[in-house]
Amino acid sequence: MSRKKLCEYYWAPLKSDCEELLGRFQQTESVRYEEFSAIWREMDFSGVFFGTQSDHEKRYFTRLIFTIAYRYILPPYSFQIRVGGLYMIYGIYNTQLIWPKEKIRIALKDWYDVQKLIADAKSCQHLDVVYVFKRLLSSKAFCFTAMPQKLTFEARERVQHNVNEEFRDHKNRVTELASIEMLEEIANMHGHYERLKKSSVPPSSGVTLLNLTCLVQKCAFEYQQWQDKIASSSRAVMLATIKSKSYGHVSKGTKSRHHRQVEMVTSGSGTDQALFSQKKRHPSLRTRTWQNFGKPSEPEQTQEWLLSVMEEDKNALKRKDIRRFKWRNNWL
């Protein structure tokens, strides 16, 4: 069976089983690992690997279930569902039937969201979540990649992952709770409560009555401002990180470009700007010599060599040969 047919055959039932597991975990209203492991054993979730036969099919099946489970540890799912997705990946990694074990592909663009999840769990003292994540790290279970899935020529034919609305994290739940209809209902109930309290408590008692409607509306507004502040601060931290990585280190050029070194200049206005300047090239030895001792005059033009010999040169050669011959005879 080809990979395309395997994906079409297994995607829907695997996604259904994963959402069934996470749905039961959501009903517990807990993020404890013991609750998740009890549901895992009850469903016998590790039995999903028993239907495959060949090693090739087992490996692709494991890779496919990792791809499905990986989506549940990322936004827009709620904190409990993301923790359940981490527990599910941990269970799948330790119960897979192939060797060497298939690793969990994590895209670098999603690594910040995973670290944010672990940081939130650590701040809330959910140490079992941190422990599971550390165990996966120590086992080298993650494979950091550019994309969560391998890109092939069949990329257009992949099955899309639709977000389950029951698992989605609704960040505006407080705003929805403090709707106009709800505030009117609270105001009517609070007005009735004030009338009953005034009739039962004498005016001289000094009891003050709070405006519950305004208090709820104020709390909802403050919560919305807090969420906006967190979102803007996280974005600012991310931009600062990118900025420090981009401009924090000066790249070294090659030997042929030593005269084009890059310098970092920080403006005094409070905002860092990378101003790139080009160093001047040092004058050469010849230029410095000319500057110190003056430029030499133009060399005189010499006559080019000729193939033929002038007559006076021929006569000089003859006289030289005659003197050499006489000296040899005298010596002999």
Side-chain angles (χ1 to χ4, degrees), residues 85-130:
L86 181 65
Y87 291 159
M88 182 165 56
I89 285 178
Y90 178 72
I92 294 171
Y93 180 79
N94 289 284
T95 57
Q96 57 181 309
L97 302 178
I98 56 175
W99 185 264
K101 291 184 176 182
E102 186 69 24
K103 293 189 176 184
I104 306 160
R105 293 176 61 92
I106 289 189
L108 295 180
K109 65 182 181 66
D110 300 330
W111 183 241
Y112 173 79
D113 295 327
V114 176
Q115 287 183 319
K116 183 68 168 54
L117 172 66
I118 304 304
D120 293 341
K122 188 175 182 180
S123 63
C124 298
Q125 296 297 313
H126 300 314
L127 300 182
D128 43 359
V129 181
V130 181

Side-chain angles (χ1 to χ4, degrees), residues 3-21:
R3 291 187 175 183
K4 179 182 177 182
K5 292 182 179 179
L6 283 173
C7 181
E8 294 176 354
Y9 184 77
Y10 287 122
W11 183 275
L14 279 177
K15 189 173 184 295
S16 178
D17 291 342
C18 292
E19 292 188 350
E20 176 68 21
L21 176 63

Side-chain angles (χ1 to χ4, degrees), residues 23-170:
R24 294 189 185 185
F25 181 64
Q26 187 182 30
Q27 293 176 0
T28 62
E29 298 181 355
S30 172
V31 292
R32 301 279 74 82
Y33 181 74
E34 58 182 356
E35 299 286 347
F36 180 86
S37 60
I39 300 173
W40 178 284
R41 291 191 298 269
E42 181 183 353
M43 293 182 61
D44 192 16
F45 200 82
S46 57
V48 295
F49 296 105
F50 297 153
T52 55
Q53 298 179 359
S54 63
D55 293 338
H56 173 73
E57 187 176 355
K58 288 178 181 178
R59 184 164 295 278
Y60 184 76
F61 181 84
T62 307
R63 190 177 301 167
L64 183 63
I65 194 172
F66 272 138
T67 302
I68 296 174
Y70 167 77
R71 307 293 182 88
Y72 295 105
I73 66 174
L74 302 175
Y77 293 107
S78 63
F79 179 79
Q80 186 187 12
I81 295 299
R82 294 175 67 186
V83 170
L86 181 65
Y87 291 159
M88 182 165 56
I89 285 178
Y90 178 72
I92 294 171
Y93 180 79
N94 289 284
T95 57
Q96 57 181 309
L97 302 178
I98 56 175
W99 185 264
K101 291 184 176 182
E102 186 69 24
K103 293 189 176 184
I104 306 160
R105 293 176 61 92
I106 289 189
L108 295 180
K109 65 182 181 66
D110 300 330
W111 183 241
Y112 173 79
D113 295 327
V114 176
Q115 287 183 319
K116 183 68 168 54
L117 172 66
I118 304 304
D120 293 341
K122 188 175 182 180
S123 63
C124 298
Q125 296 297 313
H126 300 314
L127 300 182
D128 43 359
V129 181
V130 181
Y131 173 78
V132 168
F133 180 72
K134 295 295 184 182
R135 286 280 296 179
L136 289 173
L137 280 180
S138 62
S139 302
K140 298 182 180 179
F142 296 117
C143 178
F144 299 98
T145 59
M147 300 295 293
Q149 292 179 269
K150 291 184 177 181
L151 298 180
T152 60
F153 64 95
E154 297 178 348
R156 295 182 180 179
E157 302 176 357
R158 287 178 179 166
V159 182
Q160 299 295 330
H161 182 88
N162 299 322
V163 178
N164 192 335
E165 295 297 329
E166 296 180 358
F167 297 162
R168 185 186 289 271
D169 184 18
H170 299 281

Side-chain angles (χ1 to χ4, degrees), residues 17 132 199 212 231 241:
D17 291 342
V132 168
S199 61
L212 186 59
T241 304

Side-chain angles (χ1 to χ4, degrees), residues 195-296:
R195 289 191 295 270
L196 292 176
K197 194 169 185 179
K198 286 180 181 179
S199 61
S200 59
V201 178
S204 60
S205 61
V207 177
T208 58
L209 299 176
L210 298 176
N211 192 344
L212 186 59
T213 306
C214 294
L215 185 60
V216 172
Q217 191 173 7
K218 180 182 178 182
C219 292
F221 180 72
E222 290 178 353
Y223 177 79
Q224 186 66 33
Q225 284 186 331
W226 175 73
Q227 274 198 334
D228 296 340
K229 183 179 179 181
I230 289 179
S232 62
S233 62
S234 61
R235 183 175 181 273
V237 169
M238 183 176 63
L239 290 177
T241 304
I242 296 174
K243 190 175 181 181
S244 63
K245 289 181 179 179
S246 301
Y247 303 124
H249 302 283
V250 179
S251 59
K252 295 182 179 180
T254 58
K255 292 182 178 179
S256 61
R257 297 185 178 182
H258 280 176
H259 63 283
R260 293 164 60 183
Q261 295 289 338
V262 179
E263 290 184 346
M264 177 66 67
V265 180
T266 304
S267 63
S269 60
T271 58
D272 295 340
Q273 296 179 352
L275 303 177
F276 298 96
S277 62
Q278 184 174 357
K279 284 187 176 182
K280 294 182 179 179
R281 187 174 181 178
H282 295 288
S284 62
L285 178 61
R286 185 181 64 177
T287 304
R288 295 197 303 269
T289 305
W290 287 357
Q291 291 176 357
N292 296 330
F293 303 101
K295 188 175 181 181

